Amino acid sequence: MDARLTPEQDHIRRTLRELLRKRCSPGDVRAAVDTPAGYDPALWTALARNLGLPGLALPEACGGVGGTPTELALAAEELGRALAPSPLLATAVLAAPLVTALGTDAQRADLLPRIASGELTAALAVPGTALATVLSLTGEPRRDWAGGGRAGGVQATGRAAGWRLYGQVGQVLDGHSAGLLLVAAHAGGYARSRPLLFLVPGDAPGLVRTRQTSLDATRPQARLELRDVPAELLGDEDADVEGALVRAGDVVATVLAAEAVGAADRILELTVEHALRREQFGRAIGSFQAVKHRLADVYVQVQAARSAAYYAAWAVASTGAEGERVGGLALAQALDSLRTAAAEGIQLHGGIGFTWEHEAQSYFKRAAGDELLFGPVHRLRAHAAEAARLFDTKEVAV
């Protein structure tokens, strides 16, 4: 394994950090999350057109850059440092790989170039709170994870004029603003039910989208109500939807891990800067041994999480879908380090650390919000151990 960044990867990181330093201050973030979209469209245009972020991991034939998930993870690390609200996670990490894997040639030719250019944003709508299990991060999905109309989730019915969707989905990342929705729905009777993915335009008749209040305001979520909504099947009825979601799950976890590492690194930097400025008893609080030890422990934990995230990015890029799946473990390590770094940051900042005006509380909310959506940490680790058959032994220690 070569852990060194290529010149292109280093350029992506340096350029993105400089852009975000100028365009994504804490004040800019607060202003962006209060917009109807939940992010700054001008910044998204700059990220898409100038840096090509949505197309980093898409093939060149589809208008993308032709990179790997490693480049996407490095970009996410910088976005995590700034807590920059953007549709990158929903569009390029959750939705685009599924269109690539399952879509027909015509669907890929129509959608992927527009996603790569930033013209089209997308969101994945999975019924209930099953996103983490559907991606096989915290467990294996149940047979009825897509729901079934009145019983919950979304029901798809086929007609001569096409498919129609009925039901409701909550906690859809960027679901209120995405131009395209990938909706998971239950098709067929219970005995022969199967989950399928459908393409639904954001302005489809019968679709009602409501933005919800979320713990982490930089991760806007929406509730979708589908009332006899016309939809287009993604791919064909024999598509391996569950397999595609599981394969995408490792990439999702890897990118999220890198993003959490960036956030943890930044809040640690802010805390160290504060400890060097804030004085008590005539000296900077950072000069006290107890504070030094606490910050050193956080530093070690963040560096360990970075190593795990980089290894996961290398593994998913070099070994492919059939290789080593370590994204879930890397995500657990990264979320754990972010929560610790944010908690220490809030406490060492003193009375200002938990106030709305200070940015420290935003990093803690990012850690807690990501755990609610893709965790929690102990379940990420437990599922990884189960998948590795770590405890499948009849030997008993005496």
Side-chain angles (χ1 to χ4, degrees):
M1 173 184 174
D2 187 355
R4 293 172 298 180
L5 300 180
T6 65
E8 292 79 9
Q9 291 170 340
D10 188 56
H11 176 71
I12 290 172
R13 187 162 67 171
R14 287 187 292 105
T15 304
L16 184 54
R17 183 173 298 191
E18 181 64 20
L19 175 63
L20 293 175
R21 185 184 67 81
K22 296 177 180 177
R23 302 279 299 272
C24 205
S25 68
D28 294 329
V29 171
R30 293 191 188 97
V33 299
D34 288 336
T35 63
Y39 63 89
D40 181 3
L43 177 60
W44 173 245
T45 299
L47 295 175
R49 295 183 181 176
N50 299 346
L51 300 180
L53 255 60
L56 277 179
L58 292 178
E60 294 183 55
C62 298
V65 177
T68 68
T70 301
E71 285 75 31
L72 200 55
L74 289 173
E77 183 179 357
E78 295 305 317
L79 292 170
R81 284 179 60 86
L83 293 185
S86 81
L88 184 72
L89 175 62
T91 300
V93 184
L94 286 168
L98 297 173
V99 175
T100 304
L102 301 175
T104 64
D105 292 340
Q107 288 171 338
R108 287 194 291 265
D110 174 44
L111 300 175
L112 293 181
R114 292 193 287 149
I115 289 176
S117 68
E119 173 192 349
L120 179 66
T121 58
L124 174 63
V126 174
T129 57
L131 182 58
T133 53
V134 167
L135 296 173
S136 193
L137 297 179
T138 58
E140 298 303 324
R142 300 186 310 173
R143 176 174 174 269
D144 59 345
W145 64 265
R150 294 179 181 177
V154 181
Q155 173 73 45
T157 58
R159 298 178 182 174
W163 291 90
R164 315 290 289 196
L165 303 183
Y166 307 81
Q168 180 174 298
V169 189
Q171 297 183 331
V172 181
L173 285 175
D174 293 312
H176 65 294
S177 62
L180 176 70
L181 300 169
L182 273 66
V183 181
H186 163 94
Y190 184 80
R192 302 175 60 185
S193 67
R194 62 196 185 282
L196 298 172
L197 283 177
F198 295 88
L199 303 173
V200 177
D203 57 355
L207 173 64
V208 178
R209 306 194 285 182
T210 306
R211 183 174 177 178
Q212 297 177 301
T213 301
S214 56
L215 174 64
D216 178 11
T218 64
R219 289 255 202 257
Q221 301 175 32
R223 182 179 71 251
L224 309 181
E225 297 177 33
L226 301 105
R227 306 166 181 171
D228 194 25
V229 174
E232 177 185 353
L233 180 65
L234 178 63
D236 55 53
E237 294 188 40
D238 296 324
D240 182 13
V241 172
E242 293 175 313
L245 286 165
V246 169
R247 289 189 293 272
D250 205 45
V251 176
V252 172
T254 298
V255 173
L256 283 168
E259 186 185 67
V261 165
D265 190 53
R266 180 55 182 158
I267 186 58
L268 175 59
E269 285 182 4
L270 293 172
T271 307
V272 171
E273 291 171 3
H274 177 78
L276 293 175
R277 291 193 309 266
R278 181 74 169 93
E279 291 188 0
Q280 286 284 2
F281 308 108
R283 55 190 285 194
I285 64 173
S287 65
F288 292 105
Q289 190 176 45
V291 175
K292 289 180 180 179
H293 285 179
R294 290 171 66 175
L295 291 175
D297 288 342
V298 174
Y299 175 80
V300 170
Q301 193 170 352
V302 172
Q303 293 305 315
R306 174 176 279 115
S307 295
Y310 281 13
Y311 180 79
W314 171 82
V316 76
S318 61
T319 60
E322 303 303 324
E324 192 175 14
R325 295 177 54 85
V326 294
L329 275 177
L331 178 58
Q333 181 84 353
L335 290 178
D336 204 14
S337 71
L338 176 54
R339 180 182 281 271
T340 300
E344 291 286 5
I346 289 173
Q347 188 168 36
L348 291 176
H349 272 85
I352 65 171
F354 63 87
T355 61
W356 183 259
E357 290 77 11
H358 200 275
E359 56 191 306
Q361 48 86 23
S362 298
Y363 288 89
F364 191 85
K365 289 177 179 177
R366 170 59 65 89
D370 278 2
E371 275 205 70
L372 289 173
L373 282 170
F374 301 100
V377 166
H378 70 274
R379 290 187 61 190
L380 287 165
R381 287 176 172 149
H383 182 60
E386 183 180 349
R389 306 177 68 86
L390 190 61
F391 301 112
D392 283 7
T393 177
K394 296 182 181 180
E395 297 180 3
V396 179
V398 179

